[in-house]
Amino acid sequence: MGAEAGGPFEVVAAGEQALLVRFGATVDPALAARVRGAAATIEASRPTWLVDLVPSYASLLVVFDPLRIDPGSARAWLVDALAQAPPTGDAARRVELPVLYDPEVAPDLLDTAERLALSVPELVAAHSGRDYLVFLLGFKPGFPYMGVLDNRLVLPRLATPRTRVPAGSVAIAGRQTGIYPVASPGGWRIIGRTPLRLFDPRSATAFLLAPGDLVRFAPIDRSRFDEME
């Protein structure tokens, strides 16, 4: 167990060549900020034994090279480094994403509105009416887990996942919203689609979004969608 300016944390083993730094166990923007702050602190030093950093909602997986350092030494280094790591204070990058909310591209839009006792315009207004924090990327390359949803939009995943969800599909599940970056199976409720590419391996950055970004959805019509696509 260790402590820092933002609160306590613990470092536990996660296999033979990884350590997990835990800051909490809930989906909370404050905890997500501490995860980003810890990752930034480690990256700033970038020890030679570091292989990878994998952030989650409230924890950070630190993968190390066991031929360069033993687990005990790696843990001691992390505890010492993170004891001085403040929560990230970087200004959030704001990203506006155009979305077509239309049953032609959103097979769950009408059913979701009915289940929530909302009209489609009310659902669209609620979904596009706030900023969403990108907590992490996962599941597929560039898939953003974002939150939190308006309480009026909270529904569980589909009982039976689809075998194929088109790239760009904007969906909701629980208190989160996300975007499928590539065609893949999926069980979230699809309520729209963006014409933008979230994952492009040929690009220098590859991912359109990053943890810590604030995303706002901007409704567009079909002609604008076709033009941008």
Side-chain angles (χ1 to χ4, degrees), residues 99-129 152-153 172 190-192 219-220:
V99 176
L100 173 62
Y101 296 92
D102 188 295
E104 289 188 8
V105 298
D108 299 315
L109 181 61
L110 298 180
D111 178 69
T112 298
E114 183 177 354
R115 288 174 180 271
L116 294 170
L118 297 172
S119 67
V120 169
E122 288 173 333
L123 187 158
V124 172
H127 187 256
S128 61
R152 294 175 296 166
L153 302 183
I172 61 175
I190 304 169
I191 62 170
I220 58 174

Side-chain angles (χ1 to χ4, degrees), residues 115-207:
R115 288 174 180 271
L116 294 170
L118 297 172
S119 67
V120 169
E122 288 173 333
L123 187 158
V124 172
H127 187 256
S128 61
R130 62 170 56 190
D131 293 335
Y132 296 99
L133 173 67
V134 178
F135 285 100
L136 68 143
L137 303 181
F139 172 56
K140 292 291 183 179
F143 184 104
Y145 288 83
M146 299 181 287
V148 291
L149 280 177
D150 185 309
N151 287 332
R152 294 175 296 166
L153 302 183
V154 176
L155 280 176
R157 297 167 180 254
L158 297 173
T160 303
R162 291 185 172 87
T163 57
R164 186 182 185 279
V165 176
S169 294
V170 177
I172 61 175
R175 298 202 66 200
Q176 296 186 88
T177 186
I179 309 170
Y180 288 82
V182 296
S184 67
W188 290 29
R189 297 176 184 273
I190 304 169
I191 62 170
R193 188 183 300 177
T194 179
L196 302 186
R197 295 186 65 177
L198 272 73
F199 174 59
D200 184 356
R202 298 168 298 179
S203 172
T205 55
F207 304 125

Side-chain angles (χ1 to χ4, degrees), residues 48-135:
T48 57
W49 46 261
L50 181 64
V51 175
D52 197 10
L53 295 173
V54 184
S56 185
Y57 296 104
S59 62
L60 179 67
L61 184 71
V62 181
V63 183
F64 60 88
D65 183 348
L67 299 180
R68 290 178 175 268
I69 193 171
D70 63 87
S73 297
R75 184 185 184 283
W77 186 94
L78 285 172
V79 170
D80 182 62
L82 299 182
Q84 307 303 321
T88 180
D90 295 340
R93 185 177 67 132
R94 293 185 173 272
V95 182
E96 183 176 277
L97 294 182
V99 176
L100 173 62
Y101 296 92
D102 188 295
E104 289 188 8
V105 298
D108 299 315
L109 181 61
L110 298 180
D111 178 69
T112 298
E114 183 177 354
R115 288 174 180 271
L116 294 170
L118 297 172
S119 67
V120 169
E122 288 173 333
L123 187 158
V124 172
H127 187 256
S128 61
R130 62 170 56 190
D131 293 335
Y132 296 99
L133 173 67
V134 178
F135 285 100

